[in-house]
Amino acid sequence: QVMKYGNVAGLKSSGVELTLSTRNIETKNFSWSTDFIYSHLKEEVTDLMSYKRAIDLVSGTGFGMEGYPSRSIFSFDFQGLNDEGIPQFINEKGEQTSTGINFQSTDPTYLKYEGSVDPTVTGGFDNQFKYKAWTLGLYFTFQAGNKLRLDPDFSASYGDYSAMPKDLKNRWMKPGDERYTNIPAIPSSYQYANIENLDVAYNAYNYSDIRVANGGFLRLKELTLSYDFNGEWMKAIGMNRLQLRLVASNLWLIYADKKLNGQDPEFFQSGGVSMPLPRQLTLSIRTSF
């Protein structure tokens, strides 16, 4: 069998961008102005002549399918835990099962569509407040409409060299717990040895709808405070402008999905050793003669 790469897909996309600037208050000593930016993108794969395996469609990087965005996330349909704390799902045959999941299946109709990996809505909101020589700026950024696949942390077995997810503190521990928790049990050595393909159940759990978070956020991106000096002494030394400016960046992640457990949705799974931008304070003096 010979295979080669080729352009075998069609895509259509449309979007809108809105910019609105207003002067909300204007007096002799005080003013308040606002700049609002909003953009919305809609994307759809119209034709795709390639195999679509279940493992491709449920992966965190996203995959295309006709009628959906080019980087979409789908999930196995989680059906809770059984009375042994093992996760259950609906497979391509419509059956409820723990281990009967075929990751190589090319029938995607039984998977649940979660959404696009890429945000469909992005924007910013900038406010400038001026009182005499003082200026305060507040700049917010936001995004919405995207989904994130949480890290595949769960396993049928753990060893000395693997880190257990924090969620395991709320795991299934005794019969009846399946009514109160969606966190699977740590299988006993007996279960691991006697339940065939138990790893499949935990891999499917990692790629199920229970392990998807909202990628939207609202962030106070930048706070700016400045003071413009003015006086006869400036003219005496030939100075036209003197400004003291303090900028605080990445101060506050106001909203993010609680399922992320404090991880930053803007930098989630950004690859390599990428880290969220740290909080920064910058003090500067601007002058001209």
Side-chain angles (χ1 to χ4, degrees):
Q1 184 178 9
V2 179
M3 300 180 66
K4 68 176 182 178
Y5 290 104
N7 186 359
V8 293
L11 176 73
K12 66 177 182 180
S13 62
S14 60
V16 60
E17 182 170 305
L18 172 68
T19 301
L20 178 65
S21 297
T22 62
R23 299 191 67 85
N24 308 309
I25 298 176
E26 188 75 38
T27 66
K28 179 181 178 181
N29 292 322
F30 178 77
S31 68
W32 170 30
S33 61
T34 298
D35 292 300
F36 179 72
I37 300 174
Y38 171 89
S39 64
H40 182 272
L41 176 66
K42 182 178 181 180
E43 186 184 77
E44 180 182 337
V45 175
T46 57
D47 186 39
L48 182 61
M49 296 177 287
S50 67
Y51 292 105
K52 297 171 283 290
R53 301 177 304 164
I55 186 59
D56 297 320
L57 294 170
V58 301
S59 68
T61 56
F63 198 80
M65 191 166 74
E66 294 91 337
Y68 298 92
S70 60
R71 294 214 306 155
S72 296
I73 289 184
F74 295 79
S75 292
F76 295 114
D77 188 357
F78 177 65
Q79 294 291 302
L81 308 176
N82 65 17
D83 57 6
E84 294 183 85
I86 308 301
Q88 305 173 108
F89 316 91
I90 298 296
N91 65 11
E92 70 270 25
K93 299 177 183 179
E95 303 168 338
Q96 183 170 290
T97 179
S98 290
T99 60
I101 297 293
N102 179 11
F103 281 82
Q104 303 302 317
S105 171
T106 56
D107 174 17
T109 57
Y110 71 102
L111 299 176
K112 292 182 65 176
Y113 173 64
E114 302 287 359
S116 172
V117 175
D118 303 308
T120 58
V121 173
T122 57
F125 185 51
D126 186 29
N127 287 274
Q128 294 289 322
F129 302 91
K130 293 185 178 182
Y131 177 71
K132 295 184 177 179
W134 291 94
T135 301
L136 173 67
L138 297 172
Y139 179 53
F140 300 86
T141 59
F142 60 87
Q143 74 176 35
N146 63 314
K147 299 293 183 177
L148 302 174
R149 170 71 64 198
L150 300 179
D151 292 325
D153 292 332
F154 290 86
S155 175
S157 63
Y158 301 92
D160 293 339
Y161 297 102
S162 59
M164 293 183 177
K166 180 181 178 181
D167 292 335
L168 281 176
K169 64 184 177 65
N170 296 319
R171 69 187 183 277
W172 185 101
M173 299 183 68
K174 63 183 185 302
D177 284 352
E178 63 273 10
R179 295 194 296 269
Y180 310 108
T181 182
N182 290 319
I183 308 301
I186 299 176
S188 66
S189 56
Y190 176 84
Q191 288 174 308
Y192 191 79
N194 289 276
I195 299 178
E196 187 177 0
N197 297 324
L198 187 57
D199 286 325
V200 170
Y202 282 79
N203 284 335
Y205 180 81
N206 285 325
Y207 295 106
S208 69
D209 52 329
I210 202 70
R211 297 293 294 165
V212 172
N214 186 347
F217 68 82
L218 174 63
R219 181 192 305 279
L220 175 55
K221 185 70 173 179
E222 193 170 270
L223 182 150
T224 304
L225 181 63
S226 63
Y227 183 84
D228 288 284
F229 292 89
N230 189 18
E232 295 297 326
W233 61 272
M234 293 176 59
K235 296 179 181 179
I237 61 175
M239 184 180 292
N240 296 321
R241 183 188 184 193
L242 177 62
Q243 182 189 70
L244 185 65
R245 190 168 187 256
L246 177 67
V247 178
S249 303
N250 306 304
L251 281 182
W252 183 19
L253 182 60
I254 301 170
Y255 166 79
D257 194 331
K258 293 181 178 179
K259 292 177 73 174
L260 292 170
N261 288 322
Q263 297 178 92
D264 193 323
E266 190 173 9
F267 299 93
F268 186 74
Q269 292 181 341
S270 52
V273 292
S274 298
M275 296 290 289
L277 293 175
R279 293 185 178 93
Q280 293 180 332
L281 290 175
T282 305
L283 180 64
S284 61
I285 297 176
R286 296 181 176 183
T287 184
S288 63
F289 292 91

